[in-house]
Amino acid sequence: MNQTKDISTEQLILETAEKLFLEKGFAMTSTTEIARVSGCNQALVHYYFRTKENLFQSIFENKFRMLISTLPIDNQSNKPFEEQLASIVEAHFELIRSNPKLPFLIFNELITNPQRLKTLKQRLGELPRPMFLQLQRQLQEEIDEGRIRQTNILDLLLTMLSLNVMIFLGTPIIQNVMQLSDNEINELYEHRKKENVMIILRSLRP
Amino acid sequence: MNQTKDISTEQLILETAEKLFLEKGFAMTSTTEIARVSGCNQALVHYYFRTKENLFQSIFENKFRMLISTLPIDNQSNKPFEEQLASIVEAHFELIRSNPKLPFLIFNELITNPQRLKTLKQRLGELPRPMFLQLQRQLQEEIDEGRIRQTNILDLLLTMLSLNVMIFLGTPIIQNVMQLSDNEINELYEHRKKENVMIILRSLRP
DNA sequence: GGGCTATTTAATAGAGCTATTAATTTTCTG
DNA sequence: CAGAAAATTAATAGCTCTATTAAATAGCCC
């Protein structure tokens, strides 16, 4: 058994599939195409993953775990809450920036194939709860001391997700309609990152 | 020629297709299924629209025109800018609320099938430019008089879109994960509508 | 090398899909 | 009512897709 080659073929299929799924979604990507782009026989895709659904799940879980493991957790510092929150928002922005097509895939597959919500729920259970709870605790502390307005963490997270995700969801459209170069898109990203932090901080003021 | 029945069959196919496309996307919906759900012969779908792509385009254009025609244009009043803006944001929120799955379809099909961007660009050209320009003019006026901070209309629209769209994109996930009843979801919508208005108004303060 | 396992391939079953065609039924019109 | 036009249907061609199977090949250990 050639360990090197084993891993590389399976990995190659995995990476090719990920790329194609992200580009065109689950339904529009065939195992035939995955094999063609990988440069391997079509039966190999099924040899390693048995079904297309399995292959997708593997990638989905992988990406989700990756997302979770890269979440910002360095909020044990004693910086003021505003600064910590700004760091979190920026880290979240960069996280999505490094996987700009992932939100699309997640929405696409969760909406079109609701049974995948079950898988998602399990994954969400793996979220680093301590970090979440600490953020919630800090938020309450700030509220109690009157430094921010009465609010709750779900609104805060929803606002952050909205602002940080939409710019990447909309990039294909924005770039095409406004004829922006990659450089200009990156400038737009930097601008929106600051903007999003500002919007969120302002939204919390008493 | 039975005018009534003509229209009703074609219309029936159109409506069924719209429902299915919105639910499951373009690729996951077959003309066979559209016919089955419509209760008509599969060849009829092609008789009226020749190709599945044509059918999709018809629906897409239809929806887009509908969206545009329902855009809030009543900004000739002399209410203060903040109130007018609040009305616009709320109207936009309600517009998406009445077509909650449309943003998903738009993103889905524009991202997976980039050639549709061309169609979109044409449709965007049909946007009521006067309304857009007036908003821009008013914004500049407010900036000049120091009532809001230096900003631009694209940021404003992007923020509004982000906040107003994401809650509906995320609804299937939120509802499932948090086990919310339809009533609770509606309460969440009302809450977020106010929240979004507030966030946007605060983001503009000097 | 021989046997063993893992990998890869070609071939194909079986299903579903889009689109077309030709025939049939329905509807309209003079 | 007769004939034309429109709507509807059944049948099917021609693809492509997923998944399986059986055979071929490669790598490894004794």
Side-chain angles (χ1 to χ4, degrees):
Chain A
M1 168 172 75
N2 183 334
Q3 194 72 10
T4 314
K5 220 179 162 217
D6 276 4
I7 290 178
S8 101
T9 300
E10 187 173 350
Q11 195 63 24
L12 182 64
I13 291 172
L14 217 46
E15 285 167 16
T16 306
E18 180 184 315
K19 183 171 151 303
L20 292 175
F21 282 147
L22 282 171
E23 251 167 44
K24 332 196 306 171
F26 180 77
M28 291 277 286
T29 305
S30 69
T31 55
T32 311
E33 189 182 7
I34 293 169
R36 192 177 46 72
V37 176
S38 301
C40 74
N41 189 284
Q42 183 261 347
L44 267 189
V45 178
H46 293 273
Y47 171 73
Y48 281 115
F49 301 96
R50 206 168 56 76
T51 68
K52 184 182 164 186
E53 178 70 24
N54 272 355
L55 176 56
F56 182 82
Q57 295 279 359
S58 302
I59 292 169
F60 201 74
E61 295 206 10
N62 235 4
K63 288 259 105 181
F64 214 88
R65 248 179 255 279
M66 186 271 298
L67 269 190
I68 288 172
S69 70
T70 347
L71 268 181
I73 332 186
D74 56 285
N75 50 357
Q76 71 282 18
S77 76
N78 46 10
K79 283 187 291 183
F81 181 69
E82 283 220 342
E83 280 180 41
Q84 282 190 46
L85 190 55
S87 300
I88 291 176
V89 173
E90 285 182 5
H92 180 253
F93 186 96
E94 289 299 335
L95 186 55
I96 299 170
R97 186 183 198 166
S98 63
N99 300 272
K101 287 176 175 169
L102 191 54
F104 158 67
L105 187 68
I106 292 176
F107 283 117
N108 191 6
E109 298 315 323
L110 287 180
I111 292 176
T112 55
N113 197 339
Q115 85 206 48
R116 292 209 179 101
L117 274 167
K118 235 182 62 193
T119 314
L120 176 78
K121 256 170 117 171
Q122 292 169 351
R123 295 292 150 271
L124 281 179
E126 295 167 16
L127 272 171
R129 195 163 295 275
M131 177 220 142
F132 180 81
L133 290 176
Q134 182 176 352
L135 186 62
Q136 191 161 30
R137 198 175 46 67
Q138 275 184 298
L139 192 72
Q140 194 55 52
E141 219 173 280
E142 298 292 311
I143 293 172
D144 291 344
E145 295 181 21
R147 284 197 288 269
I148 67 176
R149 73 180 170 97
Q150 180 64 43
T151 184
N152 68 75
I153 193 167
L154 280 175
D155 271 312
L156 176 59
L157 290 179
L158 193 47
T159 300
M160 180 174 84
L161 262 167
S162 301
L163 292 171
N164 281 351
V165 166
M166 185 59 68
I167 177 71
F168 295 104
L169 270 183
T171 292
I173 301 170
I174 295 172
Q175 183 157 23
N176 182 292
V177 170
M178 301 183 60
Q179 294 293 338
L180 301 182
S181 68
D182 288 354
N183 246 345
E184 288 168 318
I185 281 287
N186 278 327
E187 282 167 27
L188 178 63
Y189 287 165
E190 290 302 323
H191 171 69
R192 285 304 297 184
K193 182 165 65 173
K194 279 182 285 183
E195 195 85 356
N196 290 353
V197 169
M198 186 216 63
I199 292 172
I200 289 172
L201 292 184
R202 282 179 173 223
S203 79
L204 291 180
R205 300 215 179 120
Chain B
M1 167 172 77
N2 183 336
Q3 195 72 10
T4 314
K5 219 181 164 216
D6 274 4
I7 290 178
S8 101
T9 300
E10 187 173 349
Q11 196 63 25
L12 183 63
I13 291 172
L14 218 44
E15 284 167 16
T16 307
E18 179 184 316
K19 183 171 152 304
L20 292 175
F21 282 148
L22 281 171
E23 250 167 43
K24 330 195 310 171
F26 180 77
M28 293 275 287
T29 305
S30 68
T31 54
T32 311
E33 188 182 7
I34 293 169
R36 192 177 47 72
V37 175
S38 299
C40 76
N41 189 284
Q42 182 261 345
L44 267 190
V45 178
H46 293 273
Y47 172 73
Y48 283 114
F49 301 96
R50 206 167 55 75
T51 68
K52 184 181 163 187
E53 178 70 24
N54 271 356
L55 176 55
F56 182 83
Q57 295 278 358
S58 302
I59 292 169
F60 201 75
E61 294 205 10
N62 234 5
K63 289 259 107 183
F64 215 88
R65 249 179 255 277
M66 187 270 298
L67 270 189
I68 288 171
S69 70
T70 345
L71 267 182
I73 333 186
D74 55 284
N75 50 358
Q76 72 282 19
S77 74
N78 46 10
K79 283 186 292 183
F81 181 69
E82 282 221 342
E83 279 180 41
Q84 283 191 45
L85 189 55
S87 302
I88 291 176
V89 173
E90 284 181 6
H92 180 253
F93 186 95
E94 289 300 335
L95 185 57
I96 298 171
R97 187 183 196 165
S98 63
N99 301 271
K101 286 175 176 169
L102 190 55
F104 158 66
L105 187 68
I106 292 176
F107 283 118
N108 191 4
E109 298 314 324
L110 287 180
I111 293 175
T112 55
N113 198 338
Q115 84 207 48
R116 293 211 178 98
L117 275 166
K118 234 182 63 194
T119 314
L120 176 76
K121 257 169 117 170
Q122 291 169 352
R123 297 291 152 271
L124 282 179
E126 295 166 19
L127 272 170
R129 195 161 296 272
M131 176 224 145
F132 180 82
L133 290 177
Q134 182 177 353
L135 187 61
Q136 192 162 29
R137 199 176 42 71
Q138 275 184 297
L139 193 71
Q140 194 55 51
E141 218 172 281
E142 298 292 311
I143 293 172
D144 292 344
E145 296 180 22
R147 285 197 288 269
I148 66 176
R149 73 178 169 98
Q150 178 63 45
T151 184
N152 69 74
I153 194 167
L154 281 174
D155 271 311
L156 176 58
L157 291 179
L158 193 48
T159 300
M160 181 175 83
L161 261 166
S162 300
L163 292 171
N164 282 351
V165 166
M166 186 60 67
I167 177 72
F168 296 103
L169 270 183
T171 291
I173 300 170
I174 294 171
Q175 183 158 22
N176 182 292
V177 170
M178 300 182 62
Q179 294 293 336
L180 301 182
S181 69
D182 287 353
N183 247 345
E184 288 169 318
I185 281 287
N186 279 327
E187 283 168 25
L188 178 64
Y189 287 164
E190 290 302 323
H191 171 68
R192 284 304 297 184
K193 182 165 63 172
K194 280 182 287 184
E195 195 84 356
N196 290 353
V197 169
M198 185 217 63
I199 292 171
I200 289 171
L201 292 184
R202 282 178 174 225
S203 80
L204 291 180
R205 300 214 179 120

